[in-house]
Amino acid sequence: MFRHRLLQRTNQIKFKKRRLIMKQNFLFQASNISKYYGQNVGCKNVSLDINPGEVLGIVGESGSGKSTLLNCIYGNLEVDEGDIFLNDKSKTILNFTKISEPKLRLIQRSDLAFVHQNPRDGLRMNISAGGNIGERLMAIGHRNYGEIRQIAANWLEKVEIDVSRIDDKPSTFSGGMQQRLQIARNLVTRPRLIFMDEPTGGLDVSVQAKILDLLRNLVRELGIAAVIVTHDLAVVRLLADRIIVMQNGNVIEAGLCDQVLDDPQHKYSQLLVSSVLQV
Amino acid sequence: MNEMSKNENLDIQIYNFAYLDENTKRMIRRALLKALCIPGYQVPFSSREMPMPYGWGTGGIQVTSACLIPKDILKVIDQGADDTTNAVSIRKFFQKTANVAVTEKTSDASLIQTRHRIPETKLKEKQILVYQVPIPEPLRFLEPRETETRKMHALSEYGLMYVKLYEDIAKHGHIETAYAYPVKTNGNYVTDPSPIPKFDNPKMNNSPAIQLFGAGREQRIYAIPPYTNVKSLDFEDYPFEAMKANFKCSICGSSDSYLDEIIVSDDGKRSYICSDTDYCKEQTKLNSKKED
């Protein structure tokens, strides 16, 4: 009992206003960020950091502020309080809340990537699969058609889409294929951190499994760090190294994935873990 | 005869010089100056109602009327020809409202208003070329949000423009875009050269003449100052190619000018003639001199 209390206490201390500690090797750090929608809290006083190659899961019920948090740290939403730091390729530490928009957009399409829940939001539906994968390449200055096409073909292979479909439009693809195409399109420029908002939501279970398998391999193989928002605990169990649990815009528990899932401390985390359906 | 000249005088009294009032011209000139200072940048202007529908060259006419001075010699072409409806009516419009001299000879003109072509005869310094532009935004059909395209221009995020060319090659094996072929002006803004054939794109590069673009319905003006670098977008392994029908003009025999294809008989016989009527006449004259 005492141990439980102690752990709870340390968790609380960890996520209350903590001082900014700049570790040399961190990739991404958000400190005390808050986002309000008028009177309503989007997320409050959230801090997190991500090391290179690490996968962080964000879990919580609908409306708990997961997506708000994700959009804040990706730079899509302006935060009301707090700072967001990225240790970029040249080892300079950039503060998202301070840098100019052009710089932010440049980082968003080179160092970062964002996978939407609905592939229609992340893909250009009237442009061929090859063009979809090539867009980010062309955006960072690739000007050789043959090369772009070759890279696109390689990526189609990596995400297990038949290369002969390279000139087909995503609208002719199945939901699972569209999601895999979106992942390829995002990973093609080798970002160092990828944000995913319910990447397997809305897909049937076998397709989900396939995408998770693919993601796990790619993330491990390329050493890409990832932040995955989901309400599916099985997804984080499979992919994440660490997780944070959110409720009403607050982080209520955080820790190593297995630790939190096997031994949840907070009442809500316990509820979440116990409500997973067993087959 | 007497009555006609009376009428002409009457017209000039009714209309301000070159139709538009002085304040409007001033507003357009301001936009033009800004456009010349930032080559390829689309300057918004408050386009006026003109006595003709949008799509008939209201943008070009407003730019022309803001630039016109009584000394000017005006030439108006439509698809390269001086004698097509659009060209004839715009020319008449300015004869009536500005009483300026008109010509069909490219080299004599001080101001040329054009739709869909650049004259074959090389332009000179102190000439102004005014384009009629239907859609000034080269990214329009790739990104429908104007707020977003403006941002893309500002941050020169032109990856999407190349996606279009990529799609062309993927679909057709070569860059299929044959007109309104996007260019990069002064190494900065990607610009829509108005729907001229891509055969004309190289003529825009380093041209001694001033090139002004007016889009009336879209309320945008942009410009390319003289001697500005204008580069057509392409891929390293699929370089830009200025292309035309591989025939000779059946009137003047020229093989280096842009050709129109016309069907001359019911069984589908085709003939190719220069789209630039002035150039065609010049060539015919030269040929007959040679024969003499």
Side-chain angles (χ1 to χ4, degrees):
Chain A
M1 200 58 213
F2 169 73
R3 216 179 64 111
H4 270 201
R5 285 230 183 101
L6 192 73
L7 264 173
Q8 253 179 0
R9 188 81 196 118
T10 44
N11 269 347
Q12 278 166 8
I13 294 168
K14 220 193 279 175
F15 291 100
K16 268 187 186 158
K17 284 221 165 183
R18 68 169 171 188
R19 240 171 250 133
L20 199 70
I21 311 156
M22 289 284 183
K23 276 186 283 175
Q24 270 304 299
N25 58 346
F26 83 95
L27 172 67
F28 189 85
Q29 190 170 61
S31 72
N32 299 319
I33 54 171
S34 302
K35 172 80 190 169
Y36 302 100
Y37 298 109
Q39 294 288 313
N40 300 330
V41 175
C43 59
K44 199 175 169 188
N45 255 338
V46 180
S47 298
L48 52 89
D49 43 38
I50 300 154
N51 296 318
E54 187 184 42
V55 179
L56 175 74
I58 303 177
V59 295
E61 59 192 352
S62 301
S64 60
K66 297 174 303 212
S67 295
T68 299
L69 176 62
L70 195 70
N71 279 308
C72 281
I73 58 180
Y74 178 61
N76 266 355
L77 275 178
E78 215 171 301
V79 293
D80 293 321
E81 286 160 22
D83 292 298
I84 300 159
F85 300 97
L86 176 80
N87 201 344
D88 82 350
K89 276 177 186 148
S90 55
K91 295 267 174 220
T92 27
I93 292 167
L94 301 166
N95 187 344
F96 275 20
T97 51
K98 302 267 160 57
I99 56 174
S100 65
E101 197 183 359
K103 190 99 201 243
L104 179 65
R105 283 172 72 123
L106 183 72
I107 287 168
Q108 282 183 341
R109 58 171 200 262
S110 55
D111 275 20
L112 309 180
F114 197 103
V115 174
H116 294 264
Q117 173 175 7
N118 188 343
R120 273 156 214 281
D121 297 335
L123 289 173
R124 292 192 187 275
M125 297 307 278
N126 52 356
I127 279 168
S128 70
N132 263 295
I133 298 178
E135 184 181 345
R136 272 172 78 106
L137 291 172
M138 293 181 245
I140 58 167
H142 281 248
R143 295 289 179 263
N144 189 309
Y145 175 81
E147 268 174 29
I148 294 167
R149 200 168 168 79
Q150 189 54 49
I151 297 173
N154 290 347
W155 270 97
L156 282 180
E157 223 167 278
K158 268 190 199 158
V159 296
E160 293 164 24
I161 296 174
D162 194 357
V163 178
S164 66
R165 307 282 315 256
I166 191 165
D167 291 331
D168 293 348
K169 290 181 178 170
S171 47
T172 65
F173 287 10
S174 71
M177 282 165 81
Q178 287 178 358
Q179 194 57 289
R180 277 178 278 152
L181 181 63
Q182 195 194 175
I183 290 165
R185 168 183 157 91
N186 276 290
L187 292 184
V188 66
T189 48
R190 305 260 165 161
R192 296 190 312 147
L193 177 58
I194 179 165
F195 296 93
M196 292 186 258
D197 193 0
E198 309 258 10
T200 57
L203 298 173
D204 70 53
V205 193
S206 58
V207 177
Q208 250 187 45
K210 210 168 176 186
I211 287 189
L212 289 176
D213 201 34
L214 178 85
L215 271 175
R216 189 169 54 169
N217 287 338
L218 287 176
V219 167
R220 295 279 178 261
E221 186 189 314
L222 306 172
I224 298 172
V227 180
I228 299 177
V229 160
T230 180
H231 52 248
D232 189 343
L233 292 183
V235 171
V236 288
R237 174 77 97 181
L238 198 64
L239 291 176
D241 300 310
R242 285 193 299 129
I243 66 170
I244 61 177
V245 185
M246 291 188 73
Q247 190 188 25
N248 299 330
N250 293 298
V251 174
I252 51 163
E253 192 164 351
L256 291 176
C257 183
D258 291 342
Q259 180 199 341
V260 175
L261 293 182
D262 291 342
D263 186 17
Q265 302 297 315
H266 193 276
K267 224 164 58 183
Y268 175 71
S269 316
Q270 290 166 352
L271 177 74
L272 202 68
V273 171
S274 64
S275 41
V276 173
L277 295 176
Q278 301 292 330
V279 184
Chain B
M1 192 66 215
N2 212 349
E3 216 177 317
M4 243 181 103
S5 63
K6 241 189 207 168
N7 271 342
E8 263 173 22
N9 279 332
L10 198 70
D11 286 339
I12 289 158
Q13 274 166 15
I14 292 169
Y15 297 113
N16 187 33
F17 176 76
Y19 185 76
L20 288 176
D21 62 278
E22 291 306 314
N23 280 332
T24 301
K25 284 199 248 174
R26 202 165 120 156
M27 173 272 294
I28 295 171
R29 284 175 197 145
R30 276 190 183 152
L32 285 170
L33 286 176
K34 183 168 179 180
L36 279 165
C37 293
I38 322 171
Y41 172 71
Q42 298 166 45
V43 184
F45 79 111
S46 84
S47 176
R48 297 290 193 253
E49 289 286 330
M50 297 303 282
M52 62 196 71
Y54 289 128
W56 286 30
T58 52
I61 291 167
Q62 288 179 75
V63 171
T64 300
S65 95
C67 293
L68 219 53
I69 51 171
K71 276 199 300 195
D72 264 327
I73 303 170
L74 179 70
K75 171 183 164 82
V76 185
I77 49 173
D78 170 10
Q79 305 269 15
D82 291 276
D83 51 6
T84 42
T85 321
N86 196 275
V88 171
S89 56
I90 293 173
R91 193 188 309 128
K92 272 197 181 148
F93 176 79
F94 282 115
Q95 275 179 297
K96 195 171 186 181
T97 59
N99 201 20
V100 287
V102 293
T103 179
E104 292 194 1
K105 267 188 90 168
T106 305
S107 48
D108 288 350
S110 60
L111 195 154
I112 304 168
Q113 180 169 337
T114 175
R115 171 175 176 266
H116 297 194
R117 272 313 305 278
I118 297 175
E120 304 286 356
T121 312
K122 236 177 162 304
L123 298 177
K124 301 172 296 193
E125 277 182 28
K126 290 182 182 166
Q127 280 186 317
I128 301 176
L129 186 60
V130 176
Y131 295 77
Q132 300 168 202
V133 182
I135 293 164
E137 180 51 75
L139 301 163
R140 172 67 50 87
F141 296 112
L142 303 165
E143 171 56 64
R145 288 167 297 173
E146 184 87 358
T147 45
E148 186 65 15
T149 56
R150 273 193 236 175
K151 217 171 252 180
M152 290 161 81
H153 282 297
L155 310 179
S156 45
E157 284 178 7
Y158 291 129
L160 199 52
M161 199 77 247
Y162 283 91
V163 172
K164 187 191 173 213
L165 302 181
Y166 171 94
E167 288 289 288
D168 264 6
I169 304 173
K171 231 183 264 169
H172 307 285
H174 59 97
I175 298 178
E176 178 73 358
T177 309
Y179 65 93
Y181 192 103
V183 295
K184 201 159 204 192
T185 307
N186 204 19
N188 197 4
Y189 287 108
V190 165
T191 313
D192 188 330
S194 88
I196 58 169
K198 68 175 167 185
F199 175 80
D200 283 344
N201 271 21
K203 293 185 197 146
M204 301 175 82
N205 183 32
N206 225 8
S207 163
I210 300 175
Q211 302 175 72
L212 306 174
F213 298 77
R217 185 193 54 213
E218 304 282 326
Q219 314 200 322
R220 293 288 184 279
I221 280 171
Y222 53 103
I224 299 172
Y227 303 110
T228 302
N229 181 282
V230 177
K231 195 185 173 300
S232 306
L233 302 182
D234 59 1
F235 286 106
E236 286 161 7
D237 44 351
Y238 284 85
F240 171 80
E241 237 178 310
M243 61 165 209
K244 64 181 267 294
N246 197 14
F247 293 96
K248 278 182 177 174
C249 171
S250 48
I251 298 172
C252 71
S254 163
S255 58
D256 55 0
S257 88
Y258 192 74
L259 301 174
D260 281 340
E261 180 187 30
I262 41 176
I263 295 169
V264 286
S265 73
D266 284 347
D267 52 350
K269 237 184 122 199
R270 277 140 218 269
S271 175
Y272 293 86
I273 56 164
C274 292
S275 92
D276 187 335
T277 49
D278 171 57
Y279 181 79
C280 198
K281 265 182 221 157
E282 295 280 307
Q283 292 303 308
T284 320
K285 233 186 260 170
L286 276 177
N287 288 344
S288 61
K289 257 186 205 164
K290 266 183 210 162
E291 273 164 29
D292 291 345

